[in-house]
Amino acid sequence: TAPLAPKIKTAVKSTTKEVTGTAEAYSTITIKAGKKVIGTAKTDSKGKLKVKIKAQKKKTVLTVTATDKAKNVSKATTVKVK
């Protein structure tokens, strides 16, 4: 079963360098701008995520997915850079 889509807490702006939120515990979080991966990180035992990214231009749409140990990929959460 695929994990639930990640929940993003950060209000992503053109100056943002770290995205935080929650997803399934011990899952791998991938953030993409278009098709380009701009950040990956693992969640902790409580499902907290912190992913470092390079600052993105305003109006860039980021997609955030969680992948569990069985390689199931969640639905993407989309975030628009403000």
Side-chain angles (χ1 to χ4, degrees):
T1 310
L4 294 172
K7 290 186 176 144
I8 302 304
K9 289 186 181 154
T10 308
V12 181
K13 298 179 180 155
S14 60
T15 54
T16 300
K17 300 257 175 88
E18 185 176 77
V19 176
T20 61
T22 56
E24 185 174 304
Y26 304 114
S27 58
T28 300
I29 303 302
T30 304
I31 301 181
K32 292 181 181 177
K35 292 185 178 171
K36 185 180 175 195
V37 174
I38 61 166
T40 60
K42 288 212 182 284
T43 58
D44 66 13
S45 61
K46 294 184 176 138
K48 289 187 178 169
L49 65 93
K50 271 189 190 171
V51 185
K52 298 216 179 293
I53 63 169
K54 283 186 179 168
Q56 298 294 308
K57 289 181 182 162
K58 289 182 180 183
K59 298 188 181 168
T60 301
V61 175
L62 306 180
T63 55
V64 187
T65 56
T67 306
D68 65 16
K69 288 179 182 170
K71 304 290 183 217
N72 297 309
V73 181
S74 72
K75 286 188 174 170
T77 299
T78 57
V79 180
K80 195 172 202 177
V81 180
K82 293 187 163 82

